[in-house]
Amino acid sequence: MLYKKMMIVLVAGLISACGAGNNTNGNGEGVKKENPAEYPKQNEIVARFHPSIETKEENNSIIINYNVKNLSGEPQKLSFLTGLQADYIIYDEEGKKVKQYSEEVMSTQAISEMTLENNQEIQNSFTISDLYNGRYRFEVFLTAKEEQARVVTDLIVEKSLYTKASGILVGLMDPHTVEVDVKGEKVAFQLTEEAIGQLPSLKEASEISFVYTENEIQKTIERFLLE
């Protein structure tokens, strides 16, 4: 009888211990529950501005339409340090900068401010008429202190009046004409005033790169591409 009572006490103790273990693992004081409210939700992280760009080749020019829309849900103030709201940089297929809008136009130095309402857009258009045929990367962006809204796109120019070429400079034929060895063929090119002004930077028998136009009568170097 005594033996049976001891067995019952032992079994009861084991059951009690197992129950205590389960409570510790499930709801013990050492376990901290994560509160989802403490972490930002992914869908709450959104851009304040949405930039978009449209490019088209028309009448031997490239037209860039650049829009920036306020998607923040509230008005946004933008401060501009010059008269330009937007700027662009163009790179060739080798990654070299071909041109930048702000380096070619005059702008005022006056600081201006504007408030862009929710869902309101800033619109800027650029017309580029002197790109030669080839592949490019366009970067367009706002000049505002608070936001650039940069957007990048690739473009292939195929209908330009301008063509890029390279060859060996043979020498001057007259003050307005040079001879260039292009792939083993000696070709005479007329020179624009801009190209004439670049001649002192060139050496005879050196390799040169240039942009030229062509009609039924002659070929004309518009400018030399200097390093």
Side-chain angles (χ1 to χ4, degrees), residues 44-218:
E44 291 178 353
I45 304 175
V46 295
R48 293 183 303 162
F49 296 92
H50 174 67
S52 62
I53 185 173
E54 177 188 15
T55 61
K56 58 182 178 179
E57 194 168 0
E58 187 175 282
N59 298 325
N60 298 310
S61 298
I62 301 299
I63 299 174
I64 303 175
N65 294 317
Y66 170 63
N67 298 331
V68 177
K69 188 174 185 178
N70 177 11
L71 297 179
S72 67
E74 57 187 13
Q76 295 290 338
K77 186 184 79 170
L78 296 175
S79 306
F80 302 93
L81 301 180
T82 70
L84 296 179
Q85 286 188 350
D87 196 2
Y88 66 72
I89 304 176
I90 302 176
Y91 300 91
D92 64 16
E93 58 186 343
E94 297 176 353
K96 297 179 180 178
K97 185 169 78 170
V98 175
K99 64 190 314 167
Q100 182 168 352
Y101 182 63
S102 58
E103 295 176 351
E104 299 181 349
V105 298
M106 297 292 294
S107 63
T108 63
Q109 296 299 315
I111 298 176
S112 62
E113 294 183 350
M114 68 175 295
T115 298
L116 195 65
E117 301 294 334
N118 186 46
N119 289 323
Q120 185 179 358
E121 287 186 339
I122 299 177
Q123 298 180 342
N124 284 270
S125 294
F126 307 96
T127 299
I128 307 170
S129 58
D130 58 350
L131 282 181
Y132 50 84
N133 291 312
R135 295 176 178 269
Y136 299 92
R137 188 179 81 236
F138 282 56
E139 292 188 9
V140 192
F141 49 92
L142 293 179
T143 60
K145 181 175 64 176
E146 298 83 0
E147 177 66 41
Q148 282 197 323
R150 186 180 299 267
V151 62
V152 180
T153 187
D154 295 324
L155 180 67
I156 300 176
V157 179
E158 299 178 307
K159 301 177 182 178
S160 175
L161 295 174
Y162 301 92
T163 302
K164 178 183 176 182
S166 59
I168 303 299
L169 179 60
V170 177
L172 278 173
M173 300 178 69
D174 61 51
H176 297 277
T177 310
V178 294
E179 188 175 49
V180 182
D181 185 332
V182 180
K183 297 180 180 180
E185 179 184 357
K186 291 182 171 58
V187 183
F189 289 91
Q190 298 293 304
L191 300 174
T192 63
E193 291 300 322
E194 180 181 357
I196 291 174
Q198 294 176 302
L199 280 177
S201 301
L202 305 176
K203 296 181 180 180
E204 290 188 3
S206 64
E207 185 172 355
I208 58 173
S209 295
F210 53 92
V211 176
Y212 74 95
T213 57
E214 182 177 6
N215 57 33
E216 297 178 355
I217 301 174
Q218 64 187 23

